[in-house]
């Protein structure tokens, strides 16, 4: 192919520890083993391949088109070793920067390239990032229940399973289908219908109830276990400040997405009223979404993930920036982030010096079979595995048995019908 300025095999690449790895092909594989996943597989002329996750929950096809129509054609022939240059090419070269679609497409390429390079060197990915900073990655699981008692029991099951940290979400009396409450307690999958499910929300009822839940949790399980909660962007800054204050006696590990974060200034009000730790960022795509939150120390944990924020190349830049203000990482890890993202995240978490916690929502057995992986869980900690690459593969033959199944995330309205944040 003709690439006028860029030379895939420049003289400067001679003498490198690994021979040039020319990208021979790249393909997008969509599979739905219980839920939809979009995976990019990049193959090199040396036979080494890498895979990256490009799943955008409820909007999967947009990233498929972005990759197939605009990214794959410019990848062919490039040297897969040049991860940074390819990242810059895709980010700057798009002209239309940032956003969930662009950054997921870049993430898929980036993670696949790190996988390739680590495999070519025969090293686990964490070694390329700077090596192990810890022996295991603390994760939090999702406990949820329709009633307060159900939720207490669900948290108890996670503690029994060895989790050191548990997120508690509960049905709210008078609110039908509150965020985070599934139909069974092992797997919660919000993208549940072809057209968005309509839910009704009342912040007043939620705020009246939630402190009772955490009071009961602390009474039953004491203060050794870490407890987390996700507000899922539902409160105004003032309401979030009030809730944070009322939760202080229960010493949460964090209150997540207390309010919507497009306006980073909003967190100043919350911060000035409560010492409940704050976590934000699962919908962020770049460092720019979090710049003020970080440098004004308005949050404690940055939730941005490998798949949302352009891959490892950009996520580690965010983490380094956050470390200056003693802000820790807390990567998003819901089931819509594929096992590929989970594997890459665990390598990142094993290295990142300012690690906080990693979200871990188990995938179904069908998903685990489609994505054979080296990571494992024991005693509340996860381990990425020590084999070459990020340790996650895709069984293409099995994946082909699960065709795309269009599903969208729910929407939320206030009790008078006003559209609100789901
Ligand atoms: C979380 C998230 C998820 C999101 C989901 C949307 O904290 O895990 O809020 O539950 O709602 O990832 O696709
Ligand atoms: Mg969340």
């Amino acid at each position: 192919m003709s690439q006028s300025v860029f030379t895939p095999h420049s003289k400067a690449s001679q003498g490198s520890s690994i021979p040039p790895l020319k990208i021979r092909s790249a393909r997008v594989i969509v599979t739905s083993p219980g839920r939809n996943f979009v995976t990019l597989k990049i193959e090199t002329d040396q036979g080494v391949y890498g895979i990256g996750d490009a799943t955008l929950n409820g909007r999967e096809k947009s990233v498929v088109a972005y990759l197939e129509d605009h990214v794959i054609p410019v990848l062919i022939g490039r040297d897969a070793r040049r991860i940074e240059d390819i990242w810059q090419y895709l980010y700057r070269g798009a002209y239309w920067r940032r956003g969930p679609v662009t950054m997921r497409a870049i993430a898929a390429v980036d993670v696949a390239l790190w996988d390739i390079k680590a495999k070519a060197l025969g090293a686990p990915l964490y070694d390329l990032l700077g090596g192990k900073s810890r022996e295991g990655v603390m994760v939090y699981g999702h406990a949820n229940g329709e009633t307060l008692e159900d939720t207490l029991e669900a948290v108890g099951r996670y503690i029994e399973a060895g989790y050191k940290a548990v997120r508690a979400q509960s049905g709210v009396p008078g609110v039908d289908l509150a965020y985070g409450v599934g139909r069974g307690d092992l797997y919660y999958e919000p993208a549940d219908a072809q057209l968005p499910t309509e839910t009704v929300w009342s912040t007043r009822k939620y705020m009246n109830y939630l402190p009772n839940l955490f009071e009961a949790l602390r009474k039953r399980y004491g203060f050794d276990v870490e407890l987390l909660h996700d507000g899922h962007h539902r409160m105004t800054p003032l309401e979030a400040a009030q809730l944070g204050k009322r939760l202080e006696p229960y010493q949460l590990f964090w209150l997540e997405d207390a309010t919507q974060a497009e306006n980073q200034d909003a967190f100043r009000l919350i911060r000035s009223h409560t010492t409940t730790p704050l976590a934000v960022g699962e919908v962020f795509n770049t460092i720019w979404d979090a710049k003020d939150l970080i440098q004004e120390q308005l949050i404690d944990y940055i939730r941005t993930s490998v798949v949302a924020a352009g891959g490892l190349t950009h996520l580690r830049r965010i983490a380094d920036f956050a470390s200056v203000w003693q802000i820790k990482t807390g990567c998003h890890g819901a089931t819509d982030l594929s096992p590929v993202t989970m594997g890459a995240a665990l390598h990142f978490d094993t290295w990142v010096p300012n690690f906080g916690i990693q979200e871990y929502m188990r995938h179904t057995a069908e998903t685990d079979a489609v994505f054979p992986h080296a990571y494992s869980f024991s005693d509340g900690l996860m381990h990425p595995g020590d084999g070459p690459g990020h340790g996650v593969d895709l069984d293409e033959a099995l994946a082909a048995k699960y065709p795309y199944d269009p599903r969208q995330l729910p929407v939320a309205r206030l009790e008078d019908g006003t559209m609100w944040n789901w």
Side-chain angles (χ1 to χ4, degrees), residues 102-138:
T102 297
M103 297 311 289
R104 268 177 178 74
I106 296 176
V109 174
D110 186 76
V111 169
L113 295 180
W114 279 98
D115 191 26
I116 288 172
K117 184 171 277 193
K119 283 173 174 167
L121 290 167
L125 212 160
Y126 62 71
D127 266 346
L128 271 64
L129 295 171
K132 275 190 180 184
S133 297
R134 56 195 53 80
E135 300 311 316
V137 171
M138 180 166 77

Side-chain angles (χ1 to χ4, degrees), residues 218-230:
R218 285 304 185 201
K219 240 183 223 153
R220 189 165 303 179
Y221 300 115
F223 282 78
D224 282 348
V225 62
E226 301 288 4
L227 294 177
L228 299 83
H229 180 75
D230 189 348

